[in-house]
Amino acid sequence: MRTRFKILAMLLGIAGIANAQQKDIVSYANTRQGTNSHFGLSHGNTYPTTSLPFGMNAWSPQTGRNGDGWKYQYKADSIRGFQQVHQCSPWVGDYAVFSLMPVSGPLQVNEYARAAAFTHDAEIVQPDYYKVTFRNGTKTEITPTERGAHFRFSFPAKKAAYLVLDGYTGMSEVKIYPKERKITGYVRNGAFIPKSFKNYFVVVFDKPFEVYGTWEPGPNKITEGNQQAGGKGAGAYVKFADGATVQAKVASSYISPEQAELTLTRELGNYKSFNDTRNAANNTWKTLFNRVKVEGGTEEDKATFYSCLFRANLFSHQFFEYNKEGKPYYYSPYDEKIHDGYMYTDNGFWDTFRAQFPLNTILHPEMEGRYMQALLDAQSQCGWLPAWSFPSETGGMLGNHAISLLTDAWVKGIRTFDPKKALDAYFHEAMNKGPWGGANGRAGWKEYYQLGYVSFPESHGSTSQTLEYAYDDFCGYQLAKVTGNKFYEQLFSRTMYNYRNQFDSSTGFMRGRKVNGDWVEPFDPFEWGGPYTEGNAWHWLWSVFHDVQGLINLMGGNEKFVAKLDSVFSQPNKVNPGYYGGMIHEMTEMVEGNMGQYAHGNQPIQHMIYLYNYAGQPWKTQQHVRNVMDKLYSATEDGYPGDEDQGQMSSWYVISALGFYSVCPGTDQYIIGSPVFGKATITLENGKKFIVEALNNSKENVYIQSATLNGKPYSRNYITHEDIMNGGTLVLQMGNQPAKNRGIGEDDKPFSLSKR
């Protein structure tokens, strides 16, 4: 009998392994990752996006009121609609929003009255599929296309079945066509939309209307039988047979109502059933996820990895559509005209130049090439390179990082644009201040060139601006150098070292300076704001991406540099709110992370732990990288240590989990860290595969003992883009103790200007 039980147990174990192997790779991605957020504390500030990669539109359940940037919060217990969404940050809101909501029982149109209770146990949250069953028994299912979605609403037996369309916060118009079982219209909402902007939508149902009408928010006036309405937030409703199961196909266009109809036919016309559309969406994500296949690691590691890979492939959104001939064209959010070609939007480059775009150069070089030309098209249409588009230019944050994207693409062989036009556009950006936010042109540009730094208090965030301008000038220099443009090469070579003018050797920090050259007093390295943007002196010391060796020299050599790196983690996690006057969420997140002054929840310091590779102690990078990934990331609602920021934080994890990171975009190097998985296989667009094998890898064995690249011993602390794109295998032998004699030679160090 005991033997029989052993055999049974063995068979069950084999079956369990088989089931694990057969698990749909897409189901690893939890789209609720990071949704347990609020104004004062971000675990991602995300929402459960249902979308295709880089889709023009995405969809999300809505727990917050209309206009609330926190459109879905994990703690909420009711949903009031299912929105078309584009939001890249709760701090800027959303645009082109409308929502659909099933109402069971008496008709309720008001967003509060129609809200239905739910629990998270009744949700399925995947990239290709969202489902919720409300406590009242009504079900909503969503599956996406690039510019639309397929819905299925299931109502309880013998219960009235209404569907309410909400026009959201701005001007809207609705038209009902009972015989065609269709609603069309447009919405016009968003803080950064041009005057002529409209998002035209069409919704087609598979069941006839028994009753229909329009409604107005505010007074919540319902007009039964009315087929057309317009005004602020104007909406529509339709009623189906009691207990019905109804499918709805939705698409929208920024160009015209006719284009919305064409898109509906093109993207959803061939799918007879909801399940057909879902299978197509699932296959799209499955294909992408299988292009970055990881093996080994725990199930939790895989869930975190694929949840992050999902978010790394959402932004930027496509802003182009396909005409009758299948050619791309778009309504420009910049000059409000129709143009042929490709356009993208919804991205803040201050966040994403660091990891999200470098990841695109690996996974999506064809799209990246289209994107680079779109940047120059946008510049010609509005006079400025985009910095944060949403959908038109906002100028958010600081720096002129479009040049980072352009240079990074060029040095990695993506050459779909005219480099002279790119440099001309950047020169204009660097020598002027635009009409929008701090990253539209350059705040403090005159002082930057006259003094060699941006002065304080003439420009708040001045030290941060100087550091990022110097890096951007390096990118301008780099693009000019590799394309033979001597004028711009010489011009930007004069300013790419301006970071030196912010370094105070007496304190060992980058500091604010006055117009007369004096340091800003008093000085407290724990104080946030003032000369620093969203951080303090501990965070901004390291923003010399292009010349880490130069920074090491300023700080007195490798030993002192490493000691300063170490001290970031040994310092108390205290905060002096300083110029902010009180705690902001980035401060709270650093304190909660409990890693000293290492504030991974915001961009300025995210590359810092890779800098040990430049100073002869790469094993410390390996230890810290694995600790950060293990401690600060998960696939849960608390999955991020701060704002996810249009894929940047997710991309940081994805690249780091693969075993490397892009410290200095604009060069062809990725700095080696410590991979999470025993094996990762990247299938490239060119059909080749790049494999990272980490032998004997585990939670304890985080240190690289030895390495080979394509069978040859490899001691360098970086790999090149060419290494990846040519295909091959990087094998790392892992252990639980540092290999202190590996990767310490001068030739093992990554690129720095001062190391040429």
Side-chain angles (χ1 to χ4, degrees), residues 300-321:
E300 290 79 9
D301 291 334
K302 290 178 181 176
T304 303
F305 182 83
Y306 286 111
S307 296
C308 287
L309 184 62
F310 159 69
R311 292 212 171 269
N313 286 275
L314 290 180
F315 299 97
S316 302
H317 287 139
Q318 298 174 18
F319 206 75
F320 60 89
E321 304 167 48

Side-chain angles (χ1 to χ4, degrees), residues 542 548-549 552 558 561-562 565-566 606-625 656 659-663 669-674 702-704 714-719 732 739 742-752 755:
W542 316 103
V548 179
Q549 184 60 53
I552 292 171
N558 286 344
F561 182 79
V562 168
L565 287 169
D566 291 343
Q606 287 177 353
H607 68 291
M608 182 219 101
I609 50 180
Y610 282 91
L611 300 188
Y612 290 101
N613 284 290
Y614 297 75
Q617 296 192 26
W619 60 89
K620 289 186 177 178
T621 285
Q622 296 154 26
Q623 185 268 325
H624 283 301
V625 166
S656 294
F660 46 87
Y661 185 72
S662 52
V663 166
Q669 295 182 358
Y670 303 90
I671 314 308
I672 293 175
S674 178
V702 303
Y703 299 105
I704 298 172
Y714 196 78
S715 63
R716 291 177 177 173
N717 297 322
Y718 62 91
I719 55 173
L732 308 174
R742 186 197 167 275
I744 59 175
E746 284 300 310
D747 290 340
D748 298 325
K749 294 179 180 180
F751 169 86
S752 286
K755 183 177 169 284

Side-chain angles (χ1 to χ4, degrees), residues 296-306 630 653 676-677 699:
T298 65
E299 289 295 284
E300 290 79 9
D301 291 334
K302 290 178 181 176
T304 303
F305 182 83
Y306 286 111
D630 189 56
Y653 182 90
V676 169
F677 300 96
K699 296 288 186 184

